[in-house]
Amino acid sequence: MMQSGIFTGYFPYGLEETAKKIRAHGFNTVQLDLHFKDIDLGAGQITKEKAKKVRDTFRDNDLPISCISGYTNIIHPDLAHREANVERLKEIIRNARDLGSPYVISETGTYNTESEWMSDPKNKSEEGFEMCRAVIAELAQEAYDHGSMFLLETYVNNVVGSVEETVRMFAQVDHPGLGLLMDPTNYFEDHNIDSMDKVLNQVFDTLADKIKIAHAKDVARAGDDKSEKHADIGDDDALASHTFRGVGEMVLNAPGTGSLNYDLYLQRLSEKHPNIPVIIEHLSEDDVPRAKKFLDDKFRANGL
């Protein structure tokens, strides 16, 4: 049976209140964002005691932590900034087990100097790929050394932004400390969204064995989405990494408000991962009941 979960960061409260609110929606797992109003988990502030408090609070509310957000630009063009980002990610990886899950997630970053979510020509260069590969190999080893796993999340504007680039990265970093966060919406651009089923099947035909956790959001051409609630939460928000963004005319919005073929997605996902956590994202707190119902209805409709 697939599990529906949600990012904790969509609930901007203290630790205990966040857990209770999420459980009240009927979720049975979470992706942990390290932001709570009453506990500092910022850079250099994670301790074993704090980590276990977070883990146990969610466990006590029947919400095991299935994975941990570590989103950052691992190849930031400013070397000092890059090193700080990578060290922060390693800090999360080292504490992952105490936080309740071995899985720590990040996208692969961009060399764009203006935004961590925009593309850059260097992203698609051999030099850019090799630099990214080296960092991912380093993170995979760090995770392995601490009983954890770094999960790469493909995103079209990053160095690893397509099915082919994802396959290539796993071929070059063939490491037990590396896995895949499956979010199919992150593979779509204007040139391939009309071939959705083909792309989805390609993803699962080539990468299914690498998948550890899955996401649930949606994708559409601008103007084609079904909802005006896009979780555009702003650059200063603690969850700025989860903004409403896409490539060109693409928008990435809440599950059930776009054109993702959820039936095919969940069917292919369940073939090798029938009990995988599927984590809802890209929405506002008031849209959570609708999004959860949509996902749960899809589970039932597909016998999952």
XYZ file of all heavy atoms in Angstrom, residues 73 75 108-112 116-130 132 155-161 165:
248
model
N 22.122 24.589 -3.714
C 22.839 24.597 -4.986
C 24.241 24.027 -4.766
O 25.146 24.725 -4.316
C 22.920 26.012 -5.563
C 23.453 26.033 -6.987
O 23.937 25.027 -7.494
N 23.369 27.178 -7.636
N 26.514 23.228 -6.771
C 27.559 23.686 -7.697
C 27.504 25.201 -7.876
O 27.780 25.732 -8.951
C 27.437 22.988 -9.063
C 26.016 23.158 -9.630
C 27.822 21.524 -8.958
C 25.912 22.880 -11.100
N 20.463 19.026 -8.339
C 21.893 19.030 -8.667
C 22.473 20.410 -8.928
O 23.675 20.535 -9.151
C 22.162 18.134 -9.890
O 21.379 18.582 -10.995
C 21.833 16.690 -9.568
N 21.638 21.457 -8.901
C 22.161 22.805 -8.942
C 22.390 23.368 -10.333
O 22.265 22.686 -11.349
N 22.756 24.654 -10.341
C 22.964 25.392 -11.579
C 24.147 26.335 -11.416
O 24.458 26.777 -10.302
C 21.709 26.196 -11.954
O 21.959 26.966 -13.141
C 21.292 27.149 -10.845
N 24.776 26.665 -12.530
C 25.873 27.629 -12.520
C 25.370 29.055 -12.743
O 26.163 29.985 -12.858
C 26.892 27.269 -13.602
C 27.575 25.944 -13.336
C 27.167 24.782 -13.978
C 28.612 25.851 -12.415
C 27.787 23.561 -13.726
C 29.239 24.641 -12.155
C 28.817 23.496 -12.816
O 29.414 22.298 -12.556
N 24.069 29.242 -12.782
C 23.484 30.570 -12.951
C 23.827 31.445 -11.743
O 23.665 31.012 -10.600
C 21.970 30.459 -13.120
C 21.330 31.763 -13.547
O 21.275 32.719 -12.794
N 20.857 31.794 -14.777
N 19.154 30.286 -8.155
C 19.470 28.869 -7.985
C 18.488 27.979 -8.739
O 18.639 26.759 -8.729
C 19.475 28.514 -6.498
C 20.573 29.214 -5.733
C 20.874 28.585 -4.396
O 20.167 27.638 -4.011
O 21.821 29.054 -3.728
N 17.494 28.578 -9.398
C 16.467 27.779 -10.071
C 16.388 28.059 -11.568
O 15.514 27.566 -12.246
C 15.106 28.018 -9.407
C 15.225 27.872 -7.929
C 15.092 28.847 -6.985
C 15.576 26.687 -7.208
N 15.326 28.347 -5.730
C 15.616 27.024 -5.835
C 15.840 25.373 -7.593
C 15.918 26.090 -4.847
C 16.140 24.449 -6.603
C 16.175 24.809 -5.261
N 17.334 28.830 -12.095
C 17.356 29.131 -13.521
C 18.501 28.384 -14.192
O 19.514 28.059 -13.564
C 17.491 30.640 -13.749
C 16.283 31.436 -13.313
S 16.521 33.228 -13.496
C 16.730 33.333 -15.275
N 18.347 28.136 -15.482
C 19.364 27.388 -16.221
C 20.566 28.271 -16.528
O 20.542 29.492 -16.335
C 18.769 26.851 -17.520
O 18.339 27.928 -18.341
N 21.620 27.633 -17.028
C 22.832 28.326 -17.424
C 23.512 27.470 -18.491
O 23.475 26.236 -18.405
C 23.762 28.506 -16.221
C 24.971 29.363 -16.554
O 24.868 30.593 -16.429
O 26.018 28.798 -16.948
N 24.111 28.073 -19.510
C 24.770 27.270 -20.553
C 25.786 26.276 -20.011
O 25.930 25.171 -20.543
C 25.439 28.330 -21.435
C 24.597 29.555 -21.253
C 24.152 29.519 -19.823
N 26.461 26.631 -18.924
C 27.480 25.735 -18.375
C 26.850 24.456 -17.819
O 27.524 23.421 -17.718
C 28.279 26.448 -17.293
C 29.486 25.655 -16.800
C 30.331 26.469 -15.826
C 31.518 25.655 -15.333
N 32.361 26.440 -14.393
N 25.565 24.509 -17.464
C 24.895 23.310 -16.953
C 24.972 22.154 -17.939
O 24.987 20.984 -17.532
C 23.423 23.595 -16.652
C 23.226 24.533 -15.479
O 24.173 24.946 -14.812
N 21.976 24.883 -15.210
N 24.982 22.474 -19.222
C 24.954 21.436 -20.249
C 26.314 21.210 -20.908
O 26.418 20.563 -21.943
C 23.903 21.786 -21.314
C 22.506 21.992 -20.732
C 22.074 20.816 -19.840
C 20.774 21.074 -19.117
N 20.436 19.985 -18.171
N 27.359 21.727 -20.264
C 28.710 21.530 -20.774
C 29.348 20.311 -20.116
O 28.939 19.864 -19.041
C 29.567 22.766 -20.488
O 29.797 22.908 -19.093
N 30.377 19.761 -20.746
C 31.101 18.636 -20.163
C 31.788 19.047 -18.860
O 31.819 18.282 -17.889
C 32.121 18.089 -21.161
C 31.506 17.250 -22.257
C 30.767 16.038 -21.710
O 31.332 15.311 -20.861
O 29.607 15.827 -22.114
N 32.346 20.257 -18.854
C 32.987 20.751 -17.633
C 31.982 20.846 -16.501
O 32.252 20.435 -15.357
C 33.613 22.128 -17.883
C 34.259 22.731 -16.637
C 34.659 24.190 -16.836
O 34.306 24.780 -17.870
O 35.312 24.729 -15.917
N 30.789 21.388 -16.815
C 29.756 21.528 -15.800
C 29.302 20.190 -15.260
O 29.117 20.021 -14.045
N 29.128 19.216 -16.135
C 28.703 17.888 -15.702
C 29.763 17.245 -14.826
O 29.446 16.647 -13.790
C 28.412 17.008 -16.916
C 27.775 15.686 -16.560
C 26.404 15.540 -16.531
C 28.566 14.582 -16.251
C 25.816 14.334 -16.184
C 27.992 13.367 -15.912
C 26.615 13.238 -15.880
N 31.019 17.350 -15.217
C 32.092 16.709 -14.462
C 32.224 17.309 -13.064
O 32.425 16.584 -12.079
C 33.415 16.840 -15.207
C 34.648 16.382 -14.436
C 34.538 14.955 -13.903
O 33.818 14.133 -14.512
O 35.171 14.673 -12.869
N 29.846 18.684 -11.332
C 28.682 18.211 -10.597
C 28.864 16.743 -10.197
O 28.555 16.345 -9.063
C 27.420 18.395 -11.433
S 25.896 17.940 -10.588
N 15.924 17.921 -12.148
C 15.130 19.124 -12.400
C 15.663 19.780 -13.667
O 16.861 20.027 -13.782
C 15.190 20.087 -11.213
C 14.539 21.418 -11.493
C 13.223 21.495 -11.947
C 15.249 22.604 -11.322
C 12.636 22.716 -12.220
C 14.669 23.827 -11.585
C 13.362 23.883 -12.033
O 12.775 25.089 -12.309
N 14.778 20.079 -14.597
C 15.170 20.453 -15.951
C 16.138 21.622 -16.055
O 16.935 21.692 -16.990
C 13.934 20.738 -16.839
C 13.190 19.451 -17.131
C 13.005 21.754 -16.181
N 16.109 22.554 -15.118
C 17.003 23.708 -15.196
C 18.385 23.445 -14.611
O 19.249 24.316 -14.650
C 16.381 24.907 -14.472
C 15.433 25.688 -15.365
O 15.419 25.525 -16.575
N 14.624 26.532 -14.761
N 18.592 22.259 -14.057
C 19.854 21.938 -13.391
C 20.788 21.150 -14.296
O 20.452 20.831 -15.438
C 19.568 21.149 -12.129
C 18.964 21.988 -11.007
O 18.620 21.439 -9.967
N 18.810 23.286 -11.191
N 21.965 20.823 -13.786
C 22.917 20.028 -14.553
C 22.294 18.688 -14.936
O 22.364 18.260 -16.089
C 24.204 19.809 -13.752
C 25.124 18.818 -14.458
C 24.938 21.139 -13.551
N 21.680 18.015 -13.966
C 20.953 16.777 -14.245
C 19.488 17.144 -14.409
O 18.764 17.337 -13.432
C 21.154 15.743 -13.125
C 20.356 14.482 -13.420
C 22.634 15.404 -12.984
N 19.062 17.255 -15.678
C 17.733 17.778 -15.950
C 16.907 16.971 -16.923
O 15.819 17.385 -17.302
N 20.420 12.497 -18.836
C 21.443 13.006 -17.911
C 21.386 12.284 -16.571
O 22.422 12.058 -15.941
C 21.256 14.509 -17.724
C 21.650 15.310 -18.961
C 21.093 16.721 -18.983
O 20.235 17.050 -18.135
O 21.512 17.495 -19.865
